[in-house]
Amino acid sequence: MSEIHEKSPKHCANKKAFNFHNFNKKLYIYLSTIFLTILSLIFLVWLILHPTKPQFSLKEAEINQLNLSTPSLLNSSIQLTLLSNNPNKKVGIYYDEFLIYASYKGQKITTETSISPFYEEHEETNLVSAFLIGNLQPVASTFAYEVQRDQGSTGKLVLNFKVMGRLRWKVGTWVSGRYRFVVNCVTFMPFGMLPSLPLSSRQGTQCSTTI
Ligand SMILES: *[C@@H]1O[C@H](CO)[C@@H](O)[C@H](O)[C@H]1NC(C)=O
Ligand SMILES: *[C@@H]1O[C@H](CO)[C@@H](O)[C@H](O)[C@H]1NC(C)=O
């Protein structure tokens, strides 16, 4: 009886020690698998949520018309070419919505022109051309005065080209939800021997992008 009594706990202890060893090994494998999974998920989420913003620059802008019908109704026509670049190595971009307009001192001088949706592969560069038109576009009645003042003081017309759009990121076969983005390009157009048009600007002005 006493022999059995003595052997039994020993046996149990051995078995327990063996089980613990096995359990620890399994636990180690489980934990490291979970840890690695979480780590790769975090990496994937980081990759998806923090792609580098697309880059835009102004390639060419030409004002073909800038005529006032009344002091506060403007007709305008501007030919614009932007360079669009997707700097990401692994992320493609779907541009679902892409509206461009021109503004002068915070006021729109053309209506919004819509560019048809396009896809930009990673590290791809595209030319985006738009014909911006204003037909009896309402502007402040000081418009002509402001333009003349710019001509007299700096000799340059400062215009903003703005893009308002929505994009989706593509990573592998996964496509994100839609994100709004805004691009702002500032250009300084030197007045020639006014009133001669077109006024044009050919520069590699970098535009700012916000998402
Ligand atoms: C518009 O302006 C241009 C130059 O500024 C001028 O040559 C042209 O006659 C104007 N057009 C109208 C309809 O006033
Ligand atoms: C502006 O456009 C309107 C409509 O197209 C036209 O009736 C008007 O004569 C134009 N004005 C100028 C100054 O070109």
Side-chain angles (χ1 to χ4, degrees):
M1 285 292 271
S2 66
E3 256 187 49
I4 296 165
H5 225 87
E6 268 176 40
K7 258 183 186 173
S8 182
K10 245 187 197 172
H11 181 69
C12 265
N14 276 345
K15 211 177 174 185
K16 249 185 193 168
F18 177 73
N19 274 349
F20 259 121
H21 180 67
N22 215 351
F23 181 67
N24 276 345
K25 208 171 171 183
K26 271 186 182 168
L27 191 72
Y28 175 76
I29 290 166
Y30 271 103
L31 283 181
S32 43
T33 307
I34 287 169
F35 180 70
L36 280 177
T37 307
I38 288 173
L39 208 70
S40 43
L41 270 178
I42 287 172
F43 179 69
L44 197 69
V45 167
W46 171 82
L47 197 72
I48 289 161
L49 296 183
H50 293 278
T52 310
K53 291 176 200 169
Q55 291 164 354
F56 293 89
S57 59
L58 190 72
K59 189 163 191 296
E60 202 175 335
E62 193 169 283
I63 302 178
N64 294 309
Q65 197 196 0
L66 203 64
N67 289 43
L68 286 164
S69 287
T70 73
S72 58
L73 287 177
L74 179 75
N75 286 6
S76 59
S77 138
I78 303 173
Q79 178 71 49
L80 176 73
T81 307
L82 293 177
L83 261 180
S84 161
N85 173 250
N86 175 7
N88 294 288
K89 284 199 164 71
K90 295 231 179 334
V91 185
I93 303 174
Y94 284 106
Y95 292 100
D96 291 333
E97 211 179 287
F98 204 103
L99 298 171
I100 312 183
Y101 66 90
S103 73
Y104 171 74
K105 297 195 173 165
Q107 49 186 320
K108 268 191 190 177
I109 58 167
T110 68
T111 50
E112 291 168 358
T113 296
S114 179
I115 303 295
S116 40
F118 63 101
Y119 174 69
E120 196 162 66
E121 196 59 76
H122 39 84
E123 295 185 302
E124 193 187 357
T125 300
N126 285 296
L127 285 177
V128 178
S129 290
F131 197 48
L132 307 178
I133 298 277
N135 246 332
L136 302 176
Q137 177 78 21
V139 290
S141 54
T142 53
F143 183 85
Y145 167 75
E146 298 276 355
V147 170
Q148 273 160 23
R149 207 179 57 169
D150 283 356
Q151 190 187 356
S153 61
T154 60
K156 279 172 183 148
L157 189 67
V158 183
L159 287 190
N160 285 63
F161 295 105
K162 289 211 171 171
V163 177
M164 321 253 277
R166 285 163 186 259
L167 59 77
R168 283 174 299 158
W169 307 107
K170 183 171 180 275
V171 185
T173 53
W174 182 88
V175 178
S176 77
R178 286 203 170 92
Y179 290 87
R180 283 181 187 283
F181 72 98
V182 175
V183 180
N184 186 19
C185 311
V186 185
T187 182
F188 302 88
M189 299 196 143
F191 286 98
M193 302 295 283
L194 260 199
S196 74
L197 282 176
L199 289 184
S200 69
S201 137
R202 269 165 240 264
Q203 24 177 298
T205 316
Q206 198 66 34
C207 309
S208 66
T209 308
T210 42
I211 292 178

